[in-house]
Amino acid sequence: MKAHWRHFDHEADMGVRGYGATLAEAFEQAALALTAVAVDPASVEPVDQVDLVCEGPDTELLLVDWLNALIYEMSTRRALFSRFKVVIEGGHLRASAWGQKVDIEKHQPAVEIKGATYTELKVEQRADGWMAQCVVDV
Amino acid sequence: MDVKSLKRRSEFEWVLEPRGEMRVPGVLFASETLIRDMDDKVIEQVSHVAALPGIQKASYAMPDAHWGYGFPIGGVAAFDPAEGGVISAGGVGFDISCGVRTVCTGLTRESVEPFKKDLADGLYRKVPVGMGRGGKVHLGRQEMDAMLTGGAEWAIRSGYGKTEDLARIEEHGNMKGADAGVVSSHAKERQKNEMGTLGSGNHYLEVQEVVAVYDPVIAEAYGIAEGDIVVSIHCGSRGLGHQIGTEYLKSMAISAAQHGIKLPDRQLACAPIDSPVGQSYLGAMRAAMNCAMANRQIITHLVREVFADLLPRAGLEVLYDVSHNTCKVEEHVLDGRPRRLFVHRKGATRAFGPGHPDIPEDLREVGQPVLIGGTMGSASYVLAGTGESMRHAFGSAVHGAGRAMSRKQALKRWRGRQVMDELAERGVLIRSPSQRGVAEEAPGAYKDVSVVVEVAHRAGLARKVAKLEPIVCVKG
């Protein structure tokens, strides 16, 4: 499966979904979908690096933890991310995210993301790869 | 929604009899049109809430109910700790104590009209909105803890406002029982530069005109008349509340099994009120409530500064400040017996009727002000709690319009510039850092708040007092 992301509808907010050949790749794509809730990821230059670690008792809770870790970094660093490298081993996730500080004039972020939720939360292995999704509250 | 599964008890009450795991019935307040338009997910979420331990009387949905997270948005549920009742991080939501504050200005439309553009620019410059813009108030560790336990009272002590403001804020601006010690360092980190900021999404700061008065007696008690200008602030506990919601959702989702709670939906994450995690959440959530009230207090102060510069004759007095994402301990009479219950309101406004001791003394006779936020460019309403509302759904009413279409759909249909131009033609000035944000929040993307308010009024959830229309809207 070619890695890609998309948004799906939720009445009040926005669903983020990532597809990839591996679980890690699907998580990277879900993170891109997260950035795209606020801005066009192509407008974000991947210049500053942030390293993250997450844990979850299962892959679904791990996805929410991963997205929430990014939301925390976006909020406290006032940054946006457009490139991700994820490694998942036995319930542990290690990742690097690359991005830049928000430039309000240039990026015009549409919303600030409050948190990733368990609503419509699914992480599935399919015949041709992985899919990871949930709704984020904005 | 297919109404076949519901029993119509009155013109505005639809009952879902207990089935499956439900411990109590579901009760939805709506007109036939509203109920048919409601998402099927609302019924599902109402029934899930009805299955939680210790729930009392019924799982309620307000006329503006829509698909939320675990709880429907517009959901009300009360729990008794003596019966194993729970507290739910999902039931309060991410934006803890999000609410509306309306401030009277003592000015009329006529006198404000020549200053409208300056007001719009002044407010937009002064009050930080949207992602990436922090506030001017930065909190160190000690100040942070003082804010989390002191709420709006702390803000006033710190120079943002006057003591008289407190009488017109729920809980006198200070939620007791807050515990700054159980608020994580991450939550505090997320908040340290966020005080006095509005946020984004459906949050706004509006200058509004009172365009209609439906109940002159109550309107007079509230200090508003037709043609008056008021300012309304819609925002919540910012990054701190979001982080507390995120963290407790996870710990409650994981600990539910240990407490013998079978969650029909993980987003309903909850814990027994009397458990250590339940008590810890309660302390953290109350700290977030203080943060939200302090935040709206600081914004009020900034608004006062803008008015003092442009219209020094203005006297900005708080009409009321009420939250719509909370869990509060309240006494309610069930089967003739007073009971101490933990009432969750997720996208629902407290609406206490006349005589209730928690209403400011000078308004007690007429009932609590219920502030219903519209959407950018549409009307807002002031309602009043009624005696009937106390009997219906633990003294609760609607909170706003709710979306009619998703952000994605809205983005396909509108451009931000076009929305701003159309509103400007109608006399509403929009200020926002994001064109896309404006398009996603286009008035047409929301349900008609007037319909929801009319149904709330006719169903007896709250009484219509006045209608407000914006002339300036600052949007995140």
Side-chain angles (χ1 to χ4, degrees):
Chain A
M1 181 191 292
K2 193 173 173 299
H4 67 289
W5 61 266
R6 53 165 297 189
H7 288 149
F8 64 95
D9 275 342
H10 177 268
E11 201 174 6
D13 294 294
M14 195 87 104
V16 297
R17 182 182 293 157
Y19 298 93
T22 62
L23 179 63
E25 206 173 60
F27 273 41
E28 290 168 3
Q29 291 296 320
L32 268 176
L34 180 77
T35 297
V37 169
V39 298
D40 176 3
S43 70
V44 180
E45 289 172 41
V47 285
D48 304 323
Q49 179 180 344
V50 178
D51 295 322
L52 302 155
V53 281
C54 303
E55 262 178 68
D58 57 55
T59 51
E60 290 187 341
L61 290 181
L62 190 63
L63 173 71
V64 172
D65 227 47
W66 157 237
L67 297 177
N68 277 325
L70 285 170
I71 291 166
Y72 176 78
E73 298 298 336
M74 287 163 82
S75 163
T76 51
R77 293 172 192 270
R78 291 191 202 146
L80 294 159
F81 300 100
S82 56
R83 210 185 118 209
F84 306 92
K85 183 69 204 152
V86 172
V87 178
I88 300 171
E89 282 166 348
H92 294 270
L93 178 151
R94 280 180 296 115
S96 296
W98 290 267
Q100 66 173 131
K101 282 233 180 284
V102 178
D103 177 336
I104 296 170
E105 290 281 303
K106 176 183 150 193
H107 295 119
Q108 294 206 8
V111 285
E112 184 185 58
I113 304 162
K114 293 174 187 166
T117 77
Y118 299 149
T119 299
E120 298 289 298
L121 171 59
K122 266 185 220 133
V123 176
E124 285 173 359
Q125 187 168 19
R126 297 174 170 187
D128 56 349
W130 287 83
M131 190 277 291
Q133 70 164 45
C134 74
V135 168
V136 294
D137 192 357
V138 297
Chain B
M1 170 186 298
D2 184 6
V3 296
K4 277 206 292 287
S5 58
L6 303 172
K7 208 170 84 192
R8 194 173 192 170
R9 188 151 69 188
S10 70
E11 193 180 354
F12 299 108
E13 254 177 291
W14 306 76
V15 180
L16 177 71
E17 295 295 349
R19 61 185 186 198
E21 308 274 315
M22 287 171 71
R23 297 164 195 257
V24 292
V27 176
L28 297 89
F29 291 92
S31 62
E32 185 155 359
T33 317
L34 282 178
I35 202 110
R36 287 191 188 279
D37 283 350
M38 253 180 218
D39 197 306
D40 283 324
K41 294 271 186 190
V42 174
I43 281 275
E44 190 184 304
Q45 293 188 322
V46 162
S47 65
H48 285 163
V49 172
L52 294 177
I55 185 165
Q56 301 297 312
K57 216 169 150 191
S59 160
Y60 296 99
M62 296 290 112
D64 53 342
H66 53 283
W67 180 24
Y69 311 102
F71 271 56
I73 296 167
V76 177
F79 299 85
D80 186 345
E83 294 182 13
V86 293
I87 183 161
S88 169
V92 173
F94 286 97
D95 202 356
I96 299 168
S97 209
C98 181
V100 180
R101 172 183 293 208
T102 297
V103 182
C104 300
T105 65
L107 303 168
T108 60
R109 171 77 187 259
E110 248 175 9
S111 56
V112 170
E113 191 61 30
F115 298 91
K116 203 163 82 174
K117 190 177 169 297
D118 293 338
L119 260 182
D121 294 335
L123 291 170
Y124 183 55
R125 260 198 311 272
K126 196 84 168 185
V127 182
V129 290
M131 186 198 178
R133 265 186 85 189
K136 289 209 174 62
V137 184
H138 308 285
L139 300 183
R141 196 189 293 174
Q142 273 184 342
E143 275 295 276
M144 175 68 73
D145 288 359
M147 181 276 286
L148 292 174
T149 45
E153 204 177 270
W154 163 85
I156 289 165
R157 268 203 315 271
S158 309
Y160 305 103
K162 44 187 192 178
T163 314
E164 299 86 84
D165 294 343
L166 293 173
R168 292 299 183 94
I169 307 173
E170 252 184 307
E171 310 292 340
H172 276 257
N174 180 1
M175 188 66 221
K176 300 281 186 291
D179 184 355
V182 295
V183 176
S184 73
S185 55
H186 266 49
K188 292 175 184 173
E189 181 67 27
R190 229 173 132 172
Q191 190 59 28
K192 69 178 187 193
N193 299 316
E194 298 269 292
M195 293 310 294
T197 66
L198 204 59
S200 68
N202 61 358
H203 295 161
Y204 59 75
L205 163 64
E206 281 188 347
V207 180
Q208 303 162 324
E209 179 189 2
V210 180
V211 293
V213 166
Y214 307 105
D215 191 314
V217 175
I218 302 182
E220 198 188 341
Y222 289 176
I224 47 175
E226 211 171 311
D228 280 1
I229 292 293
V230 300
V231 174
S232 289
I233 302 160
H234 177 211
C235 65
S237 50
R238 311 292 298 113
L240 181 116
H242 309 164
Q243 191 65 26
I244 290 172
T246 297
E247 291 168 6
Y248 280 93
L249 202 64
K250 185 180 176 185
S251 54
M252 285 181 172
I254 292 171
S255 70
Q258 294 157 25
H259 293 124
I261 301 170
K262 212 172 89 195
L263 292 177
D265 168 358
R266 287 215 259 208
Q267 189 66 31
L268 268 181
C270 59
I273 294 159
D274 288 335
S275 67
V277 61
Q279 285 299 306
S280 168
Y281 175 68
L282 202 53
M285 180 205 59
R286 287 169 172 165
M289 290 168 84
N290 280 327
C291 178
M293 293 190 286
N295 197 40
R296 291 193 287 269
Q297 184 65 37
I298 294 174
I299 294 175
T300 303
H301 175 76
L302 299 175
V303 170
R304 278 178 170 145
E305 287 186 339
V306 174
F307 272 81
D309 272 354
L310 291 169
L311 290 149
R313 282 182 302 117
L316 273 73
E317 304 294 336
V318 180
L319 193 167
Y320 202 58
D321 179 313
V322 64
S323 299
H324 46 236
N325 287 349
T326 57
C327 174
K328 294 177 76 166
V329 183
E330 294 169 6
E331 194 179 279
H332 289 278
V333 179
L334 289 187
D335 303 323
R337 201 158 60 85
R339 303 264 295 275
R340 199 173 143 269
L341 303 176
F342 285 68
V343 183
H344 292 64
R345 294 187 182 90
K346 173 74 188 85
T349 311
R350 193 186 75 172
F352 283 172
H356 197 286
D358 288 348
I359 302 174
E361 219 175 305
D362 52 344
L363 303 180
R364 203 165 290 163
E365 212 177 298
V366 293
Q368 179 214 305
V370 179
L371 307 173
I372 309 303
T375 62
M376 177 183 67
S378 74
S380 294
Y381 285 85
V382 178
L383 284 76
T386 65
E388 217 183 327
S389 61
M390 298 308 287
R391 291 190 296 274
H392 277 322
F394 302 111
S396 313
V398 293
H399 87 304
R403 294 190 76 94
M405 69 174 76
S406 69
R407 292 178 178 279
K408 221 177 126 184
Q409 288 168 309
L411 211 49
K412 277 192 200 138
R413 191 173 297 194
W414 291 287
R415 292 277 164 274
R417 190 73 253 168
Q418 161 208 356
V419 173
M420 285 168 78
D421 289 348
E422 277 170 22
L423 285 167
E425 247 168 61
R426 282 172 31 203
V428 189
L429 299 182
I430 307 291
R431 293 290 181 272
S432 171
S434 171
Q435 297 285 324
R436 178 177 151 192
V438 169
E440 289 184 7
E441 291 288 325
Y446 282 82
K447 290 178 198 146
D448 185 354
V449 69
S450 308
V451 173
V452 163
V453 164
E454 192 58 37
V455 170
H457 173 80
R458 291 181 60 199
L461 294 169
R463 192 178 173 75
K464 269 197 317 184
V465 177
K467 181 180 184 179
L468 317 172
E469 278 181 359
I471 58 170
V472 169
C473 176
V474 177
K475 190 83 193 165

